[in-house]
Amino acid sequence: MAGFDKNIKVIVPLLYWLFLAVFIMIFVKALILKTSDREIFVRINDGRMVQMHSYYAPIGDIYSYDNISGELLLLASNEIRYDIYLDLGVGNINAIGEQPKKDWVISQKLWTSKLDSLCLLLADRFKSKNKKQWKDYLVSNRNKQNRGTLISKMATQGDLDTLRHFKMTRNAVASDLKYKRVYPYGDLARRTIGIEYIDNGIEKRNGIEGYYESVLKGKRGKRLERNIVPGVWVPVDDTIDIKPKHGQDIITTIDIPLQELAETALRKCLDSNDAKEGCVILMETRTGHIKALASFSRLNDSTYYENKNIAVGSQYEPGSTFKTVTAMCLLDKGFVDTSDIVPTGMKEFPNATKPIYDVNKKGRDKDVSFARAMEISSNVGISSLVYEHYGHNINSREQFAKDLQKYFLYKTLNCDIAVHEPLPIIRSSRYTDDLLRMSFGYATSMTPLQLLTFYNGIANDGVVVKPMFVRSVMQDGVIIKDFTADTLNKQMCKPETLKLIQDMLRRVVLYGTGRRLKSASYGIAGKSGTAEVNYSKGNVDSKYRMHRASFAGYFPADKPQYSCIVVISEPQKALTHGGDLAAPVFREISDRVMGVNSNMQSVSNKGIQTINKGNDVISYNAGVNNQNKILDTSIVPDVRGWSLADAVYCLEKLGMKVAFEGYGSVKTQSVAPRTKIEKGKLIKLTLKHK
């Protein structure tokens, strides 16, 4: 017994101190829970839990850079929104150790006296339900003691404040902060900026936003949230444990005024010609910056909407705009010279199932030089040269397609925009029919942007640069990264070949299918294209043939600053050719870029001269040196110093024929001023850039 007593004397004190230590620990723990509910979980009286959750940071903004003012114009940003809930149940949040106290969160007294007022307020603020519907909805959820009754998703700060300031609901409002993507310019360039879509239940974006998602995406924050209904968590209060970090901003290459112009000009052309779809791209030559991009398709109600990015994501057989690639290949390999004589009109080729025709030609026409064949866009002329050098056996025919791939990059551009870009296609040229048609833009296909990149290379002295949609990245108002042009091909052909091609494209505008553009004082170079969309279906009656009209080129012709392509698909009206349909859209854009319209409009009425001719009144801008002068319509006016557009307009109205060379304003005229007018007489103007 003595040993047992001795053990008891040792064990009891140990147990005493052990229980004391446990009691102290429990007391301290309870005290912490009592005083610091933000460091641990707390229990809600109905068993719901409060937890730390991460939440999204605002996406970075997207800007356009104004080249004139240097200002940043907001293209995409965020607005704060809230999902708003009302607690229509019973219960309070209590720390562990406190006596639970249950009661309606909205007291019965307030519920009875203010319910009608609340329903009227909700009906006025949230139009999804009328007063009666709101009352039925709230009563039903009150009966269910629903502690997370949804009032509105993506509501404004004003909506939230209204409920917080309403006496009945001020202690029953819960909200979940969200961010809504907003676009200050509405649908302007929306497909380029980015469109939201759902992929396997996940919201994603395409366009610039999709490509730069990792840059625009911020860093998540953390906050204490409580579960109000299964799957719905809202902040406990406005205190944030870890603040979210705003995503980085990006500055695009898009020019807002030019984008507006491109969309307006394209939509007007599509609508007036009842076309199926079309696109416009304007690119800065040296940098590859995309200044404007518009794509419209006709909907069932005959309106036009940008429901897909045709310019980047749709490929087509280009037709005659591809002749420039063929010409570059033939010239660069030394197979032909611009002075070589070729047939036009119609020609039959050995082993071909069908003859080749030029537009509106049924039989053989006159022979012309290769340069002239390009000016008038002769299918027969260019296919004859291709057949002469490639057409005599299978091996040489197949070589033609291989040679073309050395001059046109049959690769995706992989630009900084999240749009599915198809790989350019070039089919086999082993059969004579395919060889001939490939020479003028069939049996091969590419996107408008891929084709424009080729023409931009011609404008850029043979250096092919990758198109760009974003110029820089910005953080907190400071540029942290600038992007420069990525060179795809340092020399697309021999320098002497390039000069010949540039001269050909200039002559197309001056003397050929692009002559609608020849009056531009700054000079335009380019190539028109007209492709039969349904030619592969066999013998289709001419009245049922569908066309795709295009024009690709650059300006000013001598020192190119911009390249541009216009594509109009399946017009239903009389105009179907690239020079008649696409070229005027090109001109409207190029004039604006070069400041022609703005300069003419800025001149006061004192600088406008008027010719009275019978019932006609001819007005033009002749500068301020000849103010208020009424010209004699019986004599040739002095047009020296005038813009080409004004000079041609005036002289042709007076019945004269006009030819010109050079670009800029009129330097000399072949018929002296004050000479008597002779109807139909040719007057030659020499232009010089100031």
Side-chain angles (χ1 to χ4, degrees):
M1 291 294 293
F4 178 77
D5 291 340
K6 185 177 180 181
N7 289 337
I8 288 293
K9 291 179 180 180
V10 174
I11 292 172
V12 170
L14 288 174
L15 290 174
Y16 170 79
W17 290 109
L18 179 61
F19 282 121
L20 180 62
V22 171
F23 175 78
I24 293 172
M25 290 176 62
I26 292 173
F27 177 79
V28 171
K29 190 73 171 178
L31 183 64
I32 293 173
L33 285 170
K34 180 74 174 179
T35 59
S36 182
D37 64 349
R38 297 199 56 76
E39 298 299 326
I40 60 172
F41 294 154
V42 295
R43 193 178 303 278
I44 304 174
N45 61 350
D46 59 357
R48 294 185 177 92
M49 297 297 296
V50 172
Q51 298 179 5
M52 291 293 293
H53 282 173
S54 65
Y55 65 102
Y56 287 106
I59 302 173
D61 296 333
I62 298 178
Y63 293 92
S64 167
Y65 179 78
D66 191 306
N67 286 322
I68 298 175
S69 67
E71 294 180 324
L72 297 181
L73 305 177
L74 197 59
L75 296 178
S77 188
N78 309 287
E79 284 185 358
I80 293 177
R81 290 287 190 270
Y82 299 91
D83 291 349
I84 302 176
Y85 303 86
L86 281 183
D87 191 338
L88 300 181
V90 174
N92 289 311
I93 298 177
N94 301 289
I96 295 175
E98 284 191 353
Q99 184 68 29
K101 179 183 178 182
K102 289 189 175 182
D103 197 359
W104 290 102
V105 175
I106 298 177
S107 71
Q108 190 61 40
K109 180 180 179 181
L110 286 174
W111 179 261
T112 303
S113 63
K114 297 292 185 181
L115 179 58
D116 286 340
S117 297
L118 174 61
C119 293
L120 184 62
L121 181 148
L122 293 176
D124 180 63
R125 196 84 192 186
F126 308 104
K127 307 297 183 182
S128 58
K129 299 178 182 65
N130 59 33
K131 179 182 176 182
K132 182 181 182 305
Q133 290 170 332
W134 273 115
K135 187 171 185 178
D136 293 342
Y137 176 71
L138 296 180
V139 169
S140 174
N141 280 275
R142 173 87 165 186
N143 292 337
K144 297 174 185 177
Q145 296 190 27
N146 190 343
R147 304 200 63 193
T149 301
L150 178 65
I151 300 301
S152 178
K153 282 193 170 286
M154 303 302 285
T156 66
Q157 182 71 52
D159 296 331
L160 179 61
D161 290 343
T162 297
L163 290 176
R164 281 179 171 172
H165 295 155
F166 190 67
K167 182 178 180 180
M168 176 184 178
T169 57
R170 65 177 54 167
N171 296 320
V173 178
S175 63
D176 186 14
L177 185 146
K178 304 283 187 179
Y179 291 100
K180 180 183 178 182
R181 201 65 167 160
V182 293
Y183 303 89
Y185 287 92
D187 288 336
L188 190 75
R190 280 288 279 113
R191 282 280 164 185
T192 304
I193 298 168
I195 299 289
E196 301 86 353
Y197 66 96
I198 303 298
D199 182 16
N200 293 325
I202 301 174
E203 183 181 291
K204 295 183 178 180
R205 287 182 172 87
N206 55 24
I208 293 172
E209 287 191 287
Y211 187 89
Y212 286 93
E213 179 185 11
S214 60
V215 174
L216 293 165
K217 183 174 64 177
K219 187 175 181 180
R220 288 171 175 259
K222 285 189 176 182
R223 63 190 176 189
L224 201 64
E225 297 181 343
R226 65 186 178 93
N227 184 217
I228 56 174
V229 291
V232 178
W233 295 79
V234 298
V236 170
D237 54 40
D238 293 331
T239 305
I240 299 175
D241 288 84
I242 300 177
K243 291 184 177 182
K245 186 177 180 181
H246 192 287
Q248 293 174 338
D249 304 325
I250 57 177
I251 303 173
T252 71
T253 61
I254 299 296
D255 185 299
I256 289 297
L258 296 180
Q259 178 69 30
E260 290 177 325
L261 173 68
E263 292 192 10
T264 301
L266 176 62
R267 194 190 300 271
K268 181 173 65 176
C269 178
L270 293 173
D271 187 58
S272 61
N273 292 279
D274 195 18
K276 178 182 177 181
E277 62 184 23
C279 70
V280 170
I281 315 171
L282 178 68
M283 184 192 300
E284 200 170 61
T285 303
R286 301 296 178 188
T287 63
H289 288 179
I290 301 298
K291 309 305 292 182
L293 186 152
S295 298
F296 290 126
S297 301
R298 185 179 58 212
L299 303 181
N300 292 333
D301 60 356
S302 296
T303 60
Y304 289 92
Y305 180 70
E306 195 176 23
N307 63 346
K308 60 180 178 178
N309 196 324
I310 300 168
V312 181
S314 297
Q315 61 182 187
Y316 64 94
E317 291 178 312
S320 294
T321 48
F322 190 77
K323 288 174 182 172
T324 307
V325 183
T326 303
M328 182 179 290
C329 174
L330 295 173
L331 290 167
D332 206 51
K333 288 186 168 297
F335 291 160
V336 301
D337 187 77
T338 56
S339 60
D340 288 357
I341 302 301
V342 296
T344 63
M346 185 276 287
K347 183 176 181 180
E348 294 182 352
F349 293 86
N351 301 318
T353 61
K354 298 178 182 179
I356 299 298
Y357 290 92
D358 287 337
V359 176
N360 298 326
K361 301 292 183 180
K362 295 182 179 180
R364 180 68 182 265
D365 204 350
K366 60 184 178 181
D367 293 350
V368 299
S369 69
F370 176 38
R372 180 59 183 164
M374 284 291 290
E375 292 170 19
I376 62 176
S377 198
S378 171
N379 298 335
V380 174
I382 197 160
S383 60
S384 296
L385 291 173
V386 169
Y387 184 83
E388 179 184 345
H389 295 282
Y390 289 98
H392 299 294
N393 58 66
I394 291 177
N395 290 335
S396 62
R397 288 196 293 269
E398 289 182 335
Q399 186 62 41
F400 178 59
K402 295 176 183 178
D403 286 349
L404 288 178
Q405 293 177 63
K406 297 177 182 178
Y407 298 94
F408 190 92
L409 299 177
Y410 280 90
K411 299 177 181 178
T412 54
L413 296 170
N414 296 319
C415 298
D416 52 344
I417 184 170
V419 175
H420 173 68
E421 179 193 7
L423 182 71
I425 295 173
I426 184 164
R427 297 176 178 85
S428 172
S429 54
R430 67 179 301 171
Y431 298 107
T432 302
D433 286 331
D434 293 331
L435 173 78
L436 298 173
R437 286 190 168 274
M438 187 178 289
S439 69
F440 52 88
Y442 294 91
T444 182
S445 59
M446 65 281 300
T447 70
L449 184 58
Q450 290 162 355
L451 184 57
L452 178 61
T453 302
F454 171 80
Y455 275 89
N456 192 74
I458 297 172
N460 197 27
D461 292 330
V463 180
V464 181
V465 296
K466 184 176 180 178
M468 292 172 55
F469 288 87
V470 170
R471 57 189 298 157
S472 52
V473 177
M474 184 170 64
Q475 181 75 58
D476 299 326
V478 178
I479 301 296
I480 60 174
K481 186 174 183 179
D482 282 317
F483 298 104
T484 56
D486 184 7
T487 301
L488 302 177
N489 190 346
K490 294 182 179 179
Q491 186 176 348
M492 61 195 309
C493 61
K494 299 172 185 175
E496 53 269 29
T497 301
L498 184 67
K499 295 297 183 185
L500 292 174
I501 293 294
Q502 290 172 337
D503 184 62
M504 277 185 170
L505 296 181
R506 182 66 191 276
R507 293 175 66 87
V508 166
V509 172
L510 295 178
Y511 311 114
T513 56
R515 57 187 173 275
R516 280 177 172 265
L517 308 176
K518 71 178 182 179
S519 62
S521 60
Y522 45 85
I524 295 173
K527 183 73 184 71
S528 63
T530 307
E532 288 185 18
V533 176
N534 54 350
Y535 85 91
S536 60
K537 295 182 180 179
N539 293 322
V540 179
D541 190 280
S542 59
K543 66 180 179 180
Y544 297 115
R545 290 175 187 166
M546 293 291 101
H547 296 86
R548 181 178 293 108
S550 59
F551 190 91
Y554 51 87
F555 58 93
D558 289 347
K559 295 182 180 179
Q561 298 176 31
Y562 298 93
S563 61
C564 182
I565 187 169
V566 179
V567 180
I568 309 295
S569 293
E570 300 186 30
Q572 304 297 313
K573 300 294 179 66
L575 297 179
T576 58
H577 294 84
D580 298 325
L581 197 59
V585 179
F586 187 106
R587 174 66 185 272
E588 188 171 351
I589 294 170
S590 63
D591 274 356
R592 178 71 171 269
V593 173
M594 298 305 295
V596 171
N597 288 351
S598 59
N599 288 343
M600 291 181 68
Q601 293 169 0
S602 66
V603 179
S604 68
N605 290 335
K606 291 182 179 180
I608 302 297
Q609 293 189 11
T610 301
I611 298 177
N612 295 307
K613 185 179 182 185
N615 295 325
D616 296 330
V617 176
I618 308 172
S619 299
Y620 50 90
N621 173 14
V624 295
N625 293 326
N626 299 304
Q627 296 178 4
N628 298 325
K629 183 177 181 181
I630 304 299
L631 299 184
D632 186 344
T633 59
S634 65
I635 61 174
V636 176
D638 186 352
V639 297
R640 290 173 295 183
W642 292 17
S643 72
L644 179 62
D646 292 333
V648 170
Y649 180 73
C650 176
L651 293 169
E652 287 185 344
K653 280 289 186 180
L654 293 173
M656 302 187 74
K657 293 183 178 180
V658 182
F660 67 92
E661 61 181 4
Y663 81 100
S665 57
V666 179
K667 181 68 174 178
T668 63
Q669 58 189 90
S670 62
V671 181
R674 303 193 62 77
T675 303
K676 185 178 180 180
I677 290 283
E678 296 181 32
K679 301 292 184 182
K681 185 173 182 177
L682 178 67
I683 180 171
K684 297 181 180 179
L685 307 178
T686 302
L687 310 179
K688 185 174 182 180
H689 184 62
K690 295 180 180 180

